[in-house]
Amino acid sequence: MDTSILVQTFIAVFVLADAVGNIPIVLILTKGMTPEERNKVIDKAIIVAIAVLLLFAFAGQVILTYLEISMASLRVAGGLLLLLISLQMLRGELDTPILEEGRDVAITPLALPLLAGPGTLTTVMLLMSKSQNPHLAVVLGIVAAMLVTWLILRLANRIESWIGAEGGVIITQLLGFLLAALAVEIGSAGIRELFLK
């Protein structure tokens, strides 16, 4: 097993998943849920993210080529998705628990595109093609990075008890703005790739 690729994969996936930065977003998307319900959402999001990353590591290029989808298009789609969520946050429309609205935030937007976004998917595909036999190293790197991410996201319940209700409203508005900026950045990177090649 190639240890350098294992370390590279772990660092890349962990940094791009941005567990610490995503804790406030997890709190907002799971607003009104009990700690047990929130933990279930986090568990499911991590499992889905691992599955998608492994799928893209082994078959991503084949899937994208078959469907004629570029990574730039994935970035634009991910950016639009995050922008819609951020607009809801800014308008205060995320007060109702999202599970009651019939939506599953574990899959979208937590697993995709927050934990397993276009950058992470591209990275695991590139690492998989980096050497002759990197499969085990890349798989272990992905799983290890996601387990650490899962442990960090599980701290979300403690953080919610620290900030209180008023703090939650302030953070929702602030993060809605920052998430909108991130969405525009991701989307514009994709647009530049599509039109300014």
Side-chain angles (χ1 to χ4, degrees), residues 18-174:
D18 191 16
V20 175
N22 282 328
I23 284 177
I25 297 169
V26 169
L27 289 175
I28 290 158
L29 292 173
T30 57
K31 202 171 182 180
M33 293 182 190
T34 64
E36 292 75 24
E37 288 172 331
R38 179 176 290 129
N39 285 340
K40 283 182 185 175
V41 167
I42 292 166
D43 295 349
K44 187 174 181 181
I46 292 292
I47 291 166
V48 170
I50 290 172
V52 170
L53 286 170
L54 291 177
L55 176 67
F56 265 78
F58 286 99
Q61 202 54 60
V62 175
I63 293 167
L64 292 180
T65 304
Y66 178 75
L67 295 174
E68 297 180 4
I69 297 172
S70 66
M71 288 309 295
S73 299
L74 275 186
R75 284 192 180 90
V76 174
L80 285 172
L81 184 63
L82 287 178
L83 186 60
L84 289 173
I85 298 289
S86 68
L87 291 174
Q88 284 184 301
M89 288 163 64
L90 289 168
R91 290 200 303 252
E93 291 176 5
L94 290 182
D95 289 335
T96 313
I98 290 181
L99 285 181
E100 290 178 12
E101 298 173 6
R103 292 165 52 198
D104 191 348
V105 292
I107 297 170
T108 304
L110 282 186
L112 298 160
L114 289 174
L115 297 177
T120 322
L121 298 176
T122 309
T123 302
V124 295
M125 284 194 294
L126 291 173
L127 286 165
M128 195 60 104
S129 62
K130 202 167 185 179
S131 67
Q132 291 299 315
N133 193 21
H135 300 81
L136 182 60
V138 172
V139 169
L140 288 177
I142 289 170
V143 172
M146 281 293 147
L147 281 176
V148 176
T149 299
W150 172 76
L151 287 170
I152 293 170
L153 290 180
R154 279 296 194 103
L155 295 173
N157 290 323
R158 288 186 185 178
I159 290 167
E160 185 186 40
S161 64
W162 296 337
I163 61 174
E166 288 182 6
V169 172
I170 294 165
I171 287 173
T172 301
Q173 294 295 310
L174 179 62

